[in-house]
Amino acid sequence: MEFKVLRAITRIGTRHLDNADDEEDIILSNKVSMLMSTLPLIYIFANVYDQGWSRITLPILLQPFLFLIPVLVNGLGYTTFSRVLLSWNMPLQALIFSIYNKSSGIDFQTSHYIGIQFSIMASSVVPFLLFRLEDTFLMLFSLAGPFLALTCFDLVHNFFGVGYHQKGLSESGYALTKMRVLIGFIIITGSALFLKRSVGKKEHVNKGLIADLEEKNREILGQLEEISAQNEFISLQNNQLEEQKRTIESQYHLLQMAKSDLEKKVKEKTADILQASQELEKQYLQLEQFAFMAAHNLRGPVARILGLLQLLQFPETDPLEKEKVMTLIGSSILDLDEVIRDLVSVVQVKYQNADNNKKLKASDIMRKVLSQLQQDLDSQGIVISNQINPQHEIAVNDAFAHSILHNIISNSIKYKDVSKTPHIFLRSEVNETECILEITDNGIGFDSEAHRDKLFKPFSRLNTRFSGKGLGLYLAKVQVESAGGHIFARSKVNEGTTIRLQFPTGAAMTSPN
């Protein structure tokens, strides 16, 4: 019964709609309204449990109902205004809640001033949930709410006489933290826009494939109807068999030719449908993998920021500890920025293809990489045995080749065995279509047979003695395959590792799988 009520609430305002996309937008905005209305309830229960009713003021009691106003507006048919109102709801209520409490003589700690600003910053993702990329003006107008609330935060508080410095607070890190909040706002909105555009492109491609599939299905149905009509014609001709035998034989011969041609066409159409279905599945798997990568990498920094914000809300936290927490928040925001840049690099690699390849001397690329790593090689006493033939060429994107070899050589340096003199052996060979590079070290190694299933998977760390993200071998694999090549790894614990790279030489370049 409860689920039926919730389902009915989420569908308020959809009764008279014919467009499936508009109906989906209204249902999503109703769900977001219901979700946001639960946040003040959680805040009330937590505060009552911890400090009683002394900190529960009128604005916080009204917030659950105010967050449900967009649902009522949807019911009246003003669906666009409802989504704009929902985007502005959180920043406006946060400002009112902050000013009211401070005017009532409570919440004069630095953490409360900063906490409210982080709440406003978090609300900047709401417009990206509610609007499509085509609604650019509405999305920007909705983002203006949290942006104005952040930039005018101190100005509004000063106007009502409850500004940060007006109340005698003067922590040195307050201005820096405000700047970090604005940077966080820019990072969140930028990453949300990037993810929105990536998902939108995938959806557009999928819709196109589905439309093609439906069109081909309609063609097949038309052909089946044609076959049915021809079968009826054959039945009529059989009734006149004795009188028109010769005519029927001639017609039968023509029919066999038509049937053969039709079967050929059906097979061709079936093959087209199968190819379209496989392409659709491939696009879906790529979208799913990217979503997993984004969620996996973004979860860590966001969880740290949320945990540190909770620490700031404890009144007993001393100012020195708060300063440390502020520093950690800034570090987490920088980690979040690095994660986003890593995800962007993964997407850029995935959409490169063999058309960008050019012939390069394998020895020239390796010499540049070794030159850049020379200081690390010398400082750690690593011996290089370079047997790469200067005449051997590979067909690959220049930046990719450098990145692949730099990544692998860096791993050999990082995972050296300190109990013996470290060696790195480099060699090359060619066949009719490929140039093969092998990089072998005598480092600590790993069990390649035991880790076969996750060897080139993203976020898979094969050795836990050293820190890392688990993206090195995965990015190398994506870059090698983008050039139409292959990568293999063979390793044993305490014996070393061999990485085998197979690049096209230019004579038989193929597109990546």
Side-chain angles (χ1 to χ4, degrees):
M1 182 64 182
E2 292 82 2
F3 292 105
K4 290 183 178 180
V5 173
L6 293 175
R7 192 179 300 113
I9 295 175
T10 61
R11 297 190 64 81
I12 291 177
T14 63
R15 181 177 301 177
H16 304 295
L17 292 177
D18 295 327
N19 189 295
D21 289 340
D22 291 341
E23 180 178 344
E24 181 181 347
D25 290 342
I26 293 176
I27 293 174
L28 178 60
S29 67
N30 288 339
K31 288 181 178 179
V32 173
S33 292
M34 295 171 62
L35 176 62
M36 294 179 71
S37 68
T38 62
L39 299 179
L41 295 176
I42 295 173
Y43 178 88
I44 292 172
F45 291 148
N47 274 272
V48 170
Y49 177 81
D50 186 49
Q51 301 180 29
W53 289 90
S54 60
R55 290 176 49 78
I56 306 304
T57 56
L58 180 60
I60 194 63
L61 292 173
L62 292 177
Q63 281 185 359
F65 304 99
L66 295 176
F67 278 125
L68 292 175
I69 289 178
V71 177
L72 300 178
V73 176
N74 276 334
L76 296 176
Y78 301 101
T79 56
T80 300
F81 176 73
S82 170
R83 286 179 284 165
V84 174
L85 176 62
L86 184 56
S87 300
W88 281 67
N89 211 335
M90 181 70 170
L92 288 178
Q93 289 198 48
L95 281 176
I96 294 171
F97 170 71
S98 176
I99 294 171
Y100 184 93
N101 279 10
K102 291 171 177 56
S103 298
S104 301
I106 59 176
D107 292 348
F108 289 123
Q109 296 85 358
T110 299
S111 61
H112 288 285
Y113 282 86
I114 297 301
I116 292 295
Q117 294 181 60
F118 273 106
S119 299
I120 295 172
M121 179 185 70
S123 70
S124 63
V125 301
V126 174
F128 294 100
L129 295 174
L130 301 180
F131 293 99
R132 302 178 184 274
L133 288 176
E134 302 84 47
D135 304 323
T136 304
F137 173 77
L138 292 174
M139 185 180 292
L140 292 176
F141 184 76
S142 299
L143 280 172
F147 177 76
L148 291 174
L150 284 176
T151 55
C152 300
F153 183 88
D154 285 337
L155 184 63
V156 173
H157 281 70
N158 289 336
F159 178 81
F160 288 96
V162 290
Y164 181 82
H165 296 291
Q166 288 177 332
K167 292 302 178 179
L169 300 174
S170 58
E171 288 191 18
S172 59
Y174 178 75
L176 180 59
T177 302
K178 281 180 60 62
M179 181 181 68
R180 290 171 176 166
V181 171
L182 287 175
I183 293 174
F185 172 85
I186 295 171
I187 291 174
I188 289 175
T189 54
S191 60
L193 178 60
F194 172 77
L195 293 176
K196 186 82 173 179
R197 293 187 64 184
S198 298
V199 173
K201 289 180 181 178
K202 295 293 184 180
E203 288 179 348
H204 178 73
V205 172
N206 289 343
K207 287 181 179 179
L209 292 174
I210 292 172
D212 292 342
L213 186 61
E214 291 176 347
E215 178 63 26
K216 289 181 174 58
N217 283 335
R218 285 193 293 269
E219 292 178 5
I220 291 175
L221 289 175
Q223 292 169 353
L224 291 176
E225 290 175 359
E226 183 180 347
I227 293 174
S228 177
Q230 291 176 350
N231 286 335
E232 291 177 1
F233 176 74
I234 292 173
S235 177
L236 291 174
Q237 290 297 316
N238 286 334
N239 292 333
Q240 304 172 3
L241 182 61
E242 292 181 355
E243 297 179 4
Q244 302 176 344
K245 184 176 181 180
R246 293 181 180 178
T247 303
I248 290 176
E249 288 177 349
S250 176
Q251 293 290 335
Y252 179 77
H253 178 69
L254 294 175
L255 183 62
Q256 289 300 314
M257 292 178 60
K259 183 180 179 181
S260 176
D261 184 59
L262 185 61
E263 288 177 347
K264 181 180 178 181
K265 290 181 179 179
V266 169
K267 289 181 179 179
E268 292 175 352
K269 296 298 182 182
T270 302
D272 291 341
I273 293 172
L274 179 60
Q275 182 178 359
S277 177
Q278 291 173 345
E279 183 65 21
L280 179 63
E281 181 180 2
K282 177 182 175 182
Q283 294 288 343
Y284 175 79
L285 291 175
Q286 289 179 348
L287 177 61
E288 185 181 54
Q289 184 182 42
F290 183 79
F292 167 77
M293 290 172 61
H296 184 282
N297 260 18
L298 292 172
R299 188 180 298 118
V302 171
R304 289 200 300 273
I305 292 173
L306 291 175
L308 292 168
L309 287 176
Q310 290 179 353
L311 288 177
L312 286 177
Q313 293 178 356
F314 289 117
E316 60 270 22
T317 306
D318 61 75
L320 183 60
E321 188 66 23
K322 289 180 181 178
E323 187 69 21
K324 293 180 180 179
V325 171
M326 294 295 183
T327 302
L328 293 175
I329 289 176
S331 176
S332 297
I333 291 175
L334 293 176
D335 289 344
L336 187 62
D337 178 64
E338 183 179 0
V339 167
I340 293 171
R341 283 189 278 106
D342 286 343
L343 292 175
V344 169
S345 68
V346 171
V347 173
Q348 290 174 339
V349 169
K350 279 184 172 291
Y351 284 96
Q352 293 283 349
N353 54 52
D355 294 335
N356 297 313
N357 294 351
K358 59 181 180 180
K359 286 187 177 182
L360 303 170
K361 295 286 188 181
S363 59
D364 291 344
I365 299 296
M366 184 62 76
R367 183 167 56 252
K368 291 179 182 178
V369 171
L370 293 176
S371 176
Q372 290 182 349
L373 296 172
Q374 192 63 49
Q375 184 175 356
D376 291 336
L377 294 169
D378 293 340
S379 65
Q380 307 211 29
I382 297 176
V383 179
I384 299 294
S385 176
N386 190 347
Q387 299 179 10
I388 294 180
N389 192 318
Q391 301 304 317
H392 288 173
E393 294 182 335
I394 58 178
V396 63
N397 179 285
D398 191 2
F400 283 6
H402 184 276
S403 174
I404 294 165
L405 296 177
H406 190 282
N407 197 342
I408 294 173
I409 299 297
S410 296
N411 278 350
S412 294
I413 297 173
K414 181 177 181 180
Y415 299 106
K416 69 182 185 303
D417 190 342
V418 297
S419 65
K420 52 191 173 186
T421 301
H423 281 77
I424 299 177
F425 305 89
L426 311 172
R427 60 176 294 272
S428 66
E429 62 180 86
V430 295
N431 54 35
E432 294 180 356
T433 60
E434 293 179 321
C435 177
I436 300 169
L437 302 181
E438 280 193 355
I439 299 96
T440 302
D441 62 56
N442 63 343
I444 60 176
F446 60 91
D447 192 343
S448 58
E449 289 297 318
H451 295 294
R452 183 186 306 170
D453 293 337
K454 63 177 184 177
L455 189 57
F456 294 103
K457 298 294 183 182
F459 315 112
S460 297
R461 296 183 55 204
L462 308 178
N463 192 308
T464 58
R465 290 196 228 172
F466 301 89
S467 61
K469 299 177 183 176
L471 278 175
L473 286 179
Y474 170 73
L475 280 175
K477 178 177 184 294
V478 172
Q479 291 170 328
V480 171
E481 291 182 348
S482 178
H486 304 280
I487 183 172
F488 304 92
R490 183 176 69 255
S491 182
K492 289 186 179 181
V493 178
N494 297 326
E495 292 186 14
T497 301
T498 296
I499 302 296
R500 181 182 177 92
L501 305 170
Q502 297 179 191
F503 291 103
T505 58
M509 291 167 54
T510 59
S511 297
N513 294 327

